[in-house]
Amino acid sequence: MADAATTPLLTSHEAKPAKALSIDDAIETYIGATGARQLLTAMLLAFAWAFEAQQVFMSVFTDAEPTWHCTGVAAGDPGSFCSLAAASASASACALPPGTWEWDRPAETSVVSEWALKCGGGGPALVSLPASSFFAGNLAGGFLLTTLADTLLGRRKMLVLSLVTMSVAGVLTVFSPNVWVYAALRFVCGFCRSTAGTSAMVLSTELVGKWWRNTVSVAAFVFFSVGFMSLPALAYTLREASWRNMYVWTSLPSLCYAVLLYFLVQESPRWLLVRGRKQEAIAALRQIASLNGGEGITTSSFTKLETCAGEVGDGVAGGEGMFSTLRSICERRWALRRLAAITTATFGVGVVYYGMPLSVGSLSSDLYLSVAYNAAAELPSSVLSWLLMGRFNRRSSLVALTAASGLCSLACVVIPDPEAGAGGSHLRLAAELASFFASCAAYDVLLMYSIELFPTSVRNSAVGLVRQAGVLGGVVAPMLVALGRERSYWSFGVFGLTVGCLGLFVTFLPETKGRRLSDTMEDEEEAAAVLSGG
């Protein structure tokens, strides 16, 4: 009886196969106890977003439409006609006789006045061309380059290469002889910049333990705010100088920073393991361990990596093609469905996120203060996104944020024009800031959400495509802003409808709160099956 009673129990026990240690679990063994120096390295990586922000919003000042005033010195015009035109809300100096007006500041302070873009017959399309070219370059670079960080180059090399080429393009912009060369160089700068922030965020989150991932991601958004906030201060300091100085003072520090990263930051051990490069992964982990005070760790201490990564590394390393990660996503309906839903929502958020700072000039308020307010709005939005990621579901948070952004943007259309009174100006600026604040938080949550939705083998490519969806909104935004100077519905109205409606697409995504990161597509499929009860 004893044998009969115990045999099934023993058989059942022996039938359970030992669960193989995942890469995520193995990595956590070595870098989970994140030390101060390790965290400092991740923060150094996140600072790349500050230089990104400067390039993204540079055109707010360099391409600004400058103010003008009447002189009344032309023959046959005592100044009355010019004064009447200047009093009109839709006044354009281009329609006035030569010599009756002049710019308030030197013509070289803006590309619009230096090259007479407003009066050259190009209209809003020519004025918005450089900004749109930058975002178009982002879009092209995001599609063509973002997969390299998952395949051939890795996160670290891709980041350094992006920063160096972006900085060089910024320096060359100083020598632009006309708007066409300027727009072309802005396209090149956007193309090179497209992968910098994505590589920095993914690499920084993969260098720390899971308890620090959201914090490091939010640090990137904080540094983006710092870079954004530096622009009004720099522009105000150089307000009487040529717009070319803005590119000098932002591009050269970025180039020095890229050189610093090359010598101080190691490659992601998680990516190296997934690519089957175990010895390099061990070397990277040893560097991280030394940052945490573990100089005594030897190669034998990393035996867990041999047991967890052999099969995974061999399987993934075979896909060396430039677009192998995109093929891997497209071959799986669940991955393609996730990518389509989150990129659609991000496009809607991107229209507001990139469009609102460009449209502050139409609110008849001080340009420097308005941009500073927008930049300052990013700081509390980063804190809000950190709190939402830690305590609330991703989908419900995003629906609430996009709805709030849309309603506040539509409010800018309903609120009376600033000319109706000072209160109207303040109310519209407050509504614009509230919409931008909500869109910033939504954008931050979307990027952190996308890190959780896709495994290590395709993560950088997926996050890069999500960012480019936001950039696509940036391509559309400058033209809408230019049209909105005549009628606010084309800017604030379209912004509100777009972000509010497209934000609902996040309801088609699975919830990832509390889940561990997957490393391969097969791991993610298994995790999804467990959650769905399959």
Side-chain angles (χ1 to χ4, degrees), residues 441-463:
Y443 190 64
D444 295 350
V445 173
L446 279 166
L447 289 179
M448 290 188 283
Y449 192 15
S450 61
I451 289 176
E452 298 175 344
L453 283 171
F454 297 94
T456 303
S457 58
V458 299
R459 182 171 298 128
N460 204 93
S461 300
V463 176

Side-chain angles (χ1 to χ4, degrees), residues 101-149:
W101 66 277
E102 63 182 17
W103 300 113
D104 290 343
R105 288 179 180 154
E108 63 267 17
T109 58
S110 170
V111 299
V112 175
S113 52
E114 179 174 340
W115 293 322
L117 301 184
K118 191 75 174 179
C119 303
L126 191 61
V127 172
S128 62
L129 177 63
S132 293
S133 296
F134 175 82
F135 288 117
N138 267 265
L139 195 64
F143 178 74
L144 294 175
L145 301 179
T146 193
T147 59
L148 294 177

Side-chain angles (χ1 to χ4, degrees), residues 53 56-61 135 224 228 231 349-363 367 370-375 377-378 432-433 435-437 439-440 477 481 485 492 495:
V56 169
F57 296 113
M58 183 82 70
S59 58
V60 174
F61 297 102
F135 288 117
F224 190 90
F228 192 3
L231 284 178
V349 172
V351 170
V352 179
Y353 181 77
Y354 291 108
M356 280 297 183
L358 297 176
S359 64
V360 293
S362 64
L363 296 177
L367 179 62
S370 297
V371 176
Y373 290 152
N374 276 269
E378 289 227 21
E432 185 271 340
L433 287 173
S435 178
F436 182 69
F437 172 83
S439 69
C440 288
V481 170
R485 293 191 178 111
F492 298 113
F495 289 172

Side-chain angles (χ1 to χ4, degrees), residues 351-352 355-356 358-360 362-363 406 409-410 412-413 428 435 476-499:
V351 170
V352 179
M356 280 297 183
L358 297 176
S359 64
V360 293
S362 64
L363 296 177
S409 184
L410 291 172
C412 293
V413 181
R428 293 188 79 189
S435 178
V476 177
M479 178 58 70
L480 293 175
V481 170
L483 293 172
R485 293 191 178 111
E486 303 292 334
R487 187 171 296 177
S488 62
Y489 170 79
W490 289 109
S491 55
F492 298 113
V494 175
F495 289 172
L497 292 175
T498 302
V499 69

Side-chain angles (χ1 to χ4, degrees), residues 260-302:
L260 185 67
L261 282 188
Y262 180 79
F263 291 103
L264 294 183
V265 177
Q266 64 273 6
E267 182 56 86
S268 164
R270 183 185 295 270
W271 176 79
L272 290 169
L273 281 173
V274 169
R275 302 304 297 175
R277 296 158 63 172
K278 299 175 191 175
Q279 295 307 314
E280 295 176 66
I282 290 174
L285 284 171
R286 186 179 288 111
Q287 284 184 281
I288 294 174
S290 66
L291 291 177
N292 294 333
E295 287 84 356
I297 295 179
T298 61
T299 303
S300 60
S301 304
F302 296 97

